[in-house]
Amino acid sequence: MTLLLFSLFSFLTGIMNPGEPVTVEMLFAGDAMQHQAQLDQAKSASDGKGYDYSVCFDLLAPEITDADYAVVNLEVPLGGPGTYSGYPCFSAPDSYAAALRDAGFDMMLTANNHCLDRSDRGARRTLAALDSLGLDHIGTYHDAAQRDSLVPFIKDIKGIRFGFLNYTYGTNGIEPKAGAEVALIDRNKIAQEIQATRDAGAEILVVAVHWGVEYVLLENAMQRDLADFLVGQGVDMIIGGHPHVIQPMKIVRNEKENKDVLVVYSLGNLISNMKTVDTRGGALVRARVVRGTDGKARFSDADYDTFFSAKPTGKKDNFRVIPSWRQELIPAGQISHWKLFDQSAQRIFEKHNINVPRRHDENKQTK
């Protein structure tokens, strides 16, 4: 009884005297694709003894690891040896996810239109591989019972409890044949899981959504309507993917709860072998959450920067994500592609972003 009373006293004291403000910086990146050319190049880079992705994310890694928690959309199953392939039915080696982990990503989003490319077996193997790599993951599950047991997913980050949810519009018409569970966009289910996550103690709620129309640089009415629904449900951050191009980022106001909400419609591709100008890169978003002196955790502000997915220039070379602050490393023959991508992205962001600026940090040049 004495121990129980002491614990209760400590908990209440923490609420009444929250102490110094705490800031958590989240980082979000877009679609981690894996086309056949990426597979071939990763195999060549390893002298045929496996698949080597070690340089793919090395330039972006310092920025990722600087964040307190980093999230990326893994848009490819880890189907296991003998299944590796590019579009239209993807499957990547476990070393691909390991490279993302080693670059600093903490969470893989798996609810996307390619998650069933290798059917139920591939979806389930992906979960086992991510578990073996020590990576958090949400969006797909062994079966409905596992979803019920793993949702809510709550992560304590520097003392702030974050709840994460992930949904997709569909799976390219591929249906589970053996009971694998994919979190689809279903407003009743979303509302139920949001409430369960709040009830489980989440202070900040992040919902990642696979939505929109591929290759379109502006969000559509469906995305806006679903974002409004999520804001009305009390969500703090909405992070979108799927279009393979960037789309606007906005901070909107939830007047009912008197708080700001981050809405990112699409971060574009993290890495891919896509060829059109707007698919050659993407954006990363840093979002800060602050626990104030009143003890309450709130989304505070966000900014972004851009990067370019450079293609290999030699047999032993590899695909490489090159951030804007290291653009001098872009191969000479691809500089014009980078400029066209970045100029197009900036036109969208400058015209349509609301209170999400580009970060300008001269110190990053030395990273």
Side-chain angles (χ1 to χ4, degrees), residues 52-54 56-57 94-105 133:
D52 183 359
Y53 299 93
S54 58
C56 292
F57 312 108
D94 296 357
S95 55
Y96 183 60
L100 290 164
R101 177 201 61 189
D102 294 345
F105 286 108
L133 291 168

Side-chain angles (χ1 to χ4, degrees), residues 221-242:
M222 182 282 289
Q223 289 169 278
R224 289 191 293 272
D225 186 59
L226 182 55
D228 289 344
F229 168 78
L230 293 171
V231 171
Q233 292 291 313
V235 170
D236 298 279
M237 288 184 264
I238 302 163
I239 308 297
H242 172 62

Side-chain angles (χ1 to χ4, degrees), residues 66-261:
D66 273 354
D68 295 303
Y69 198 75
V71 180
V72 66
N73 173 45
L74 180 67
E75 194 149 355
V76 55
L78 306 175
T83 71
Y84 306 146
S85 64
Y87 181 85
C89 285
F90 294 114
S91 180
D94 296 357
S95 55
Y96 183 60
L100 290 164
R101 177 201 61 189
D102 294 345
F105 286 108
D106 302 289
M107 171 178 278
M108 306 282 121
L109 306 173
T110 60
N112 54 63
N113 58 305
H114 287 287
C115 64
L116 291 179
D117 278 5
R118 292 293 164 177
S119 197
D120 298 59
R121 179 188 176 279
R124 288 172 174 148
R125 191 192 177 283
T126 300
L127 304 179
L130 295 177
D131 285 340
S132 71
L133 291 168
L135 284 161
D136 294 336
H137 53 86
I138 55 171
T140 57
Y141 307 91
H142 183 88
D143 52 27
Q146 188 188 54
R147 179 179 182 176
D148 290 342
S149 69
L150 295 181
V151 177
F153 180 93
I154 296 178
K155 192 78 174 180
D156 186 302
I157 308 170
K158 294 171 69 173
I160 297 177
R161 290 170 60 81
F162 287 77
F164 293 88
L165 294 165
N166 178 210
Y167 303 95
T168 180
Y169 74 91
T171 55
N172 291 347
I174 304 173
E175 298 292 333
K177 295 182 176 65
E181 177 78 1
V182 179
L184 298 173
I185 295 171
D186 174 323
R187 294 194 184 198
N188 289 333
K189 186 69 170 177
I190 291 172
Q192 179 186 62
E193 291 187 334
I194 285 173
Q195 187 60 54
T197 304
R198 287 294 189 197
D199 291 345
E203 300 173 88
I204 298 293
L205 189 54
V206 181
V207 177
V209 193
H210 213 67
W211 59 3
V213 179
E214 290 180 327
Y215 318 121
V216 177
L217 290 162
L218 292 176
E219 79 278 7
N220 60 25
M222 182 282 289
Q223 289 169 278
R224 289 191 293 272
D225 186 59
L226 182 55
D228 289 344
F229 168 78
L230 293 171
V231 171
Q233 292 291 313
V235 170
D236 298 279
M237 288 184 264
I238 302 163
I239 308 297
H242 172 62
H244 303 304
V245 297
I246 61 90
Q247 291 181 343
M249 314 165 184
K250 303 177 181 182
I251 294 177
V252 301
R253 189 72 179 168
N254 180 335
E255 296 292 351
K256 181 180 178 181
E257 298 190 13
N258 190 32
K259 68 181 183 180
D260 288 334
V261 180

